Amino acid sequence: MARAMFEYTKTVLKKVSFDTKLFCKELEKAVRRLLPAEIEELKYWLVQFITDKPQLKDSLILLKA
């Protein structure tokens, strides 16, 4: 079940990546819901995902807190 939540989170983040505020809001929700190991995995995925989306770079701050 936990893995399903991680995959769902990635899907949602991909769909809302057009809006920075919405993306950050969904990322905050993900940090509250995911397990610590999944958050680490999400960090790696996010770095790769935002390479061509510089407007989302500030969202990395949410994962470092």
Side-chain angles (χ1 to χ4, degrees):
M1 170 81 178
R3 191 71 191 164
M5 182 56 88
F6 177 71
E7 293 300 325
Y8 174 75
T9 298
K10 288 192 325 185
T11 302
V12 169
L13 290 173
K14 287 176 188 175
K15 288 182 179 182
V16 299
S17 63
F18 66 92
D19 183 350
T20 306
K21 286 184 181 183
L22 189 55
F23 187 85
C24 289
K25 185 177 179 181
E26 290 297 330
L27 188 56
E28 287 174 349
K29 281 196 233 176
V31 170
R32 287 193 305 264
R33 292 180 178 157
L34 295 176
L35 300 171
E38 292 173 324
I39 293 172
E40 286 299 314
E41 193 173 344
L42 185 64
K43 285 180 189 178
Y44 293 116
W45 175 82
L46 192 58
V47 168
Q48 292 179 341
F49 180 70
I50 65 171
T51 54
D52 60 339
K53 298 168 183 62
Q55 71 275 16
L56 298 177
K57 190 171 184 176
D58 292 338
S59 66
L60 287 175
I61 294 170
L62 297 172
L63 291 176
K64 293 182 182 186

